[in-house]
Amino acid sequence: MAMQDCCDEAHETQEVLRQGTYDLPRISKVLENEQVFLLVDEGTIRRYKAELTDEIEPQINELVLRAEKGLKTLVKKEKQLRTKVEGVQLEQIAPSSRNVNTAGMSKLEARRIQMLVRQRQRLEEELHALRVEVDDMDLQQMRIH
């Protein structure tokens, strides 16, 4: 009888153990979790954002200034090249007025005429550059409105 009681007790224990451990592989997998997300409060995020802004903003501003400076230089160079091309085109269309006949004039008068011719050409180039600039401004105004 004692042996029977021990066997019954062992059997019940075995069933309880089996019921408690049959789900062990699933529970082990569930318990093997990885921390994927770390929740932080809004204040910490703002602080890190401000630190990042303070660290990066001066560099970005410097790069923007350098880019603007480079753009201004390129625009100025473009205007000079356009003026130069237009001057060459004008020379091809109408022969240069540099070939003024200075025969019979004194050296002083010939030199003065050449200076006036050069000055006239410079002023024509400036006039053309200003016309191009005005046209560009008109286009920009039309785009805005």
Side-chain angles (χ1 to χ4, degrees):
M1 289 278 264
M3 180 76 132
Q4 183 67 34
D5 285 341
C6 280
C7 284
D8 288 340
E9 194 70 34
H11 182 67
E12 287 176 21
T13 305
Q14 188 180 16
E15 282 185 26
V16 169
L17 186 62
R18 195 173 286 141
Q19 287 175 358
T21 60
Y22 80 95
D23 205 17
L24 183 64
R26 185 184 70 82
I27 292 175
S28 296
K29 190 171 184 178
V30 168
L31 291 176
E32 282 182 23
N33 62 2
E34 250 182 68
Q35 184 176 357
V36 178
F37 298 101
L38 176 64
L39 301 177
V40 293
D41 61 4
E42 188 92 11
T44 304
I45 292 173
R46 284 191 196 122
R47 189 178 76 237
Y48 285 141
K49 185 177 177 183
E51 288 174 6
L52 188 62
T53 301
D54 292 343
E55 184 179 326
I56 293 176
E57 190 174 18
Q59 295 171 357
I60 291 174
N61 289 337
E62 175 65 26
L63 290 173
V64 167
L65 289 174
R66 287 173 55 190
E68 287 174 348
K69 205 181 282 186
L71 182 63
K72 285 180 185 178
T73 302
L74 289 174
V75 167
K76 186 176 178 181
K77 193 178 258 187
E78 179 190 16
K79 285 181 183 179
Q80 289 174 346
L81 290 173
R82 283 187 185 196
T83 304
K84 193 173 187 179
V85 166
E86 290 163 0
V88 169
Q89 288 173 345
L90 286 175
E91 250 184 56
Q92 289 175 349
I93 294 172
S96 176
S97 57
R98 288 182 188 175
N99 301 330
V100 175
N101 187 2
T102 57
M105 294 185 191
S106 70
K107 282 186 174 184
L108 184 63
E109 289 175 337
R111 189 171 183 194
R112 186 168 187 268
I113 288 176
Q114 286 178 346
M115 281 181 22
L116 289 173
V117 166
R118 281 192 225 118
Q119 185 179 8
R120 178 180 170 213
Q121 287 175 339
R122 270 197 313 272
L123 289 173
E124 286 174 352
E125 290 171 0
E126 286 180 28
L127 174 66
H128 185 70
L130 288 172
R131 284 183 181 160
V132 168
E133 191 174 332
V134 167
D135 290 343
D136 289 343
M137 291 174 119
D138 287 342
L139 282 173
Q140 287 177 351
Q141 286 296 323
M142 289 186 339
R143 287 180 187 157
I144 290 173
H145 298 290

